[in-house]
Amino acid sequence: MGTIITVTSGKGGVGKSTTTANIAVGLANLGKKVVAIDFDIGLRNLDMILGLENRIVYDVVDVMEERCNLSQALINDKKAKNLYFLPASQTKDKDILERDKVKKLLNTLKEDFDIILIDSPAGIESGFEHSIFLADRALIVSTPDVSSVRDADRVIGIIDAKSEKAKEGKEVEKHVIINRIKPEMVDLGNMLSTEDVLSILALPLIGVVPDDEDIIGSTNIGIPIINKEKSLSAESYRRISKRILGEEVEFLDIRAKKGLFKTLKSMFK
Amino acid sequence: MSLLSKLFGKKQSSASVAKDRLTIMLAHERVDCKLPYLDDLRNDLIEVIKKYTSVDDVKITTHNNQSVDMLEVEILLGKK
């Protein structure tokens, strides 16, 4: 039986889809059979980040409404052979998903895949509820800014209330991913640190991804950055993937490189 | 905080201000939305409605989402 992992955040634009894409490739590279599902109905995006937008014929709503078979809608990534992708529907009706149909689809996928990775929409409306209610685990993505942390806290509070697992008396396993941290700004006291965010959210950390301009480039060309060697953000994603599978991996050292000039600057700030 | 600002007690860094603000805000938001005055409010409402018509029951439920806290009042009118 597969594990359902939902990537969520509350606030939009913090990097949920980028995180989902990279972790999906990462887990597939580690030998797991992975399906990434975009639940952001009406605002499909994971397809472009994965570079699979030209291969879409059917989407997740087509499968649920039985307009096609599951196998017709699933897109197999050519580079990461273990990775499959199920795109969101571009319908304007974002509340089109129905609970029973979501449940049926996810239970079918659980039989065929090791990991079902759901990219949740922003917000705490029905789309979010559908992406969380069958989750075994949740990865909460937050950037180190007040709006993102506050919304992440709201979402964390709601997850168990909306989860089927919690109704059975079990808990959804929750981890925090801190995204787009800028070590130089943290050193200067101009940005919340990893420790600050964690002490506020009171959840275990599964990864810190440094702010990296190369991610924009990788999204531009539709190739997730995770395979890039000598990239700190790619290394972060690789380590997060391993940690998801239970491996203990050291946290990446993303402290700012300090030259004499910067040290002096931070003293006189 | 940098070394010199620690020595001379310069102003707080923006990150520590952010942390304090968040901590206070979230402590407030996390408080269960069980409002202490609900029962009194309910009784007062019944008294007011009684002036005009008969009441069977008044139900007050609380809702909250990201930006708004809301009370939903459902008034069940009695048969005259």
Side-chain angles (χ1 to χ4, degrees):
Chain A
M1 279 296 252
T3 307
I4 300 179
I5 305 175
T6 301
V7 181
T8 189
S9 69
K11 188 177 180 300
V14 300
K16 270 186 305 299
S17 298
T18 308
T19 305
T20 308
N22 281 289
I23 292 175
V25 175
L27 290 168
N29 287 347
L30 291 169
K32 295 291 168 188
K33 197 174 172 196
V34 182
V35 58
I37 316 178
D38 190 351
F39 259 41
D40 203 346
I41 304 298
L43 297 167
R44 178 196 280 173
N45 271 320
L46 189 55
D47 55 340
M48 289 200 78
I49 298 175
L50 284 167
L52 298 173
E53 72 273 17
N54 292 328
R55 295 181 49 203
I56 298 175
V57 182
Y58 296 106
D59 59 50
V60 67
V61 173
D62 292 325
V63 179
M64 286 188 213
E65 299 300 328
E66 294 177 352
R67 286 192 284 263
C68 69
N69 293 327
L70 178 59
S71 58
Q72 289 175 288
L74 283 173
I75 299 164
N76 188 197
D77 192 297
K78 282 189 179 122
K79 277 161 264 146
K81 295 263 187 277
N82 283 326
L83 174 61
Y84 290 77
F85 168 60
L86 197 50
S89 159
Q90 280 293 52
T91 161
K92 282 183 197 132
D93 180 8
K94 67 181 168 69
D95 295 323
I96 200 166
L97 296 182
E98 284 172 44
R99 213 179 161 83
D100 293 339
K101 289 175 182 167
V102 174
K103 191 169 181 172
K104 190 177 162 219
L105 170 70
L106 292 179
N107 282 330
T108 314
L109 290 170
K110 267 178 120 172
E111 287 167 22
D112 287 338
F113 290 90
D114 299 318
I115 290 164
I116 297 113
L117 203 60
I118 301 178
D119 185 15
S120 129
I124 47 176
E125 295 158 311
S126 71
F128 161 75
E129 290 180 18
H130 286 125
S131 44
I132 203 75
F133 90 109
L134 282 177
D136 299 297
R137 303 177 63 170
L139 302 176
I140 296 108
V141 182
S142 177
T143 55
D145 70 279
V146 285
S147 341
S148 174
V149 175
R150 183 190 194 178
D151 292 358
D153 187 81
R154 292 291 285 183
V155 161
I156 292 163
I158 303 168
I159 288 176
D160 280 321
K162 300 292 177 196
S163 140
E164 198 114 300
K165 227 182 157 189
K167 281 189 194 117
E168 296 162 6
K170 286 175 265 178
E171 211 179 312
V172 181
E173 202 182 327
K174 301 183 238 4
H175 284 100
V176 176
I177 294 176
I178 298 175
N179 200 17
R180 286 194 209 136
I181 201 149
K182 296 184 180 179
E184 299 82 8
M185 286 189 72
V186 174
D187 282 354
L188 293 173
N190 293 334
M191 182 180 264
L192 288 167
S193 68
T194 303
E195 294 73 27
D196 291 339
V197 177
L198 290 181
S199 82
I200 292 165
L201 296 180
L203 281 181
L205 180 73
I206 203 161
V208 182
V209 184
D211 189 56
D212 183 357
E213 286 184 1
D214 288 347
I215 289 186
I216 296 173
S218 80
T219 308
N220 287 345
I221 56 173
I223 300 173
I225 199 161
I226 186 163
N227 288 327
K228 190 175 173 188
E229 280 176 43
K230 289 181 187 167
S231 155
L232 266 189
S233 59
E235 182 58 26
S236 301
Y237 287 126
R238 289 194 284 268
R239 294 192 187 191
I240 293 173
S241 307
K242 286 181 186 165
R243 288 191 201 106
I244 290 173
L245 299 180
E247 212 176 300
E248 279 193 30
V249 200
E250 226 185 307
F251 280 92
L252 200 60
D253 184 8
I254 51 168
R255 275 173 306 180
K257 292 180 197 82
K258 272 200 174 174
L260 180 64
F261 178 69
K262 276 190 179 163
T263 313
L264 285 174
K265 197 175 155 198
S266 75
M267 280 174 77
F268 285 101
K269 199 243 153 190
Chain B
M1 253 209 248
S2 70
L3 182 64
L4 287 183
S5 59
K6 265 179 197 152
L7 282 176
F8 298 111
K10 230 178 113 191
K11 66 170 186 180
Q12 245 186 326
S13 74
S14 73
S16 66
V17 176
K19 193 185 176 189
D20 293 345
R21 290 175 62 213
L22 269 171
T23 312
I24 293 164
M25 168 57 67
L26 293 178
H28 177 75
E29 283 188 342
R30 281 174 192 155
V31 173
D32 191 11
C33 196
K34 187 72 192 162
L35 305 166
Y37 55 78
L38 273 189
D39 275 344
D40 291 344
L41 176 67
R42 183 173 167 273
N43 291 335
D44 286 355
L45 278 173
I46 291 175
E47 286 309 311
V48 175
I49 301 161
K50 265 186 182 170
K51 283 188 188 171
Y52 302 92
T53 180
S54 58
V55 207
D56 257 353
D57 196 12
V58 172
K59 268 187 219 155
I60 305 178
T61 38
T62 59
H63 298 275
N64 42 62
N65 64 33
Q66 249 151 329
S67 52
V68 245
D69 289 335
M70 208 165 55
L71 290 180
E72 187 182 308
V73 181
E74 190 183 321
I75 302 165
L76 205 68
L77 296 179
K79 288 205 177 92
K80 277 195 175 172

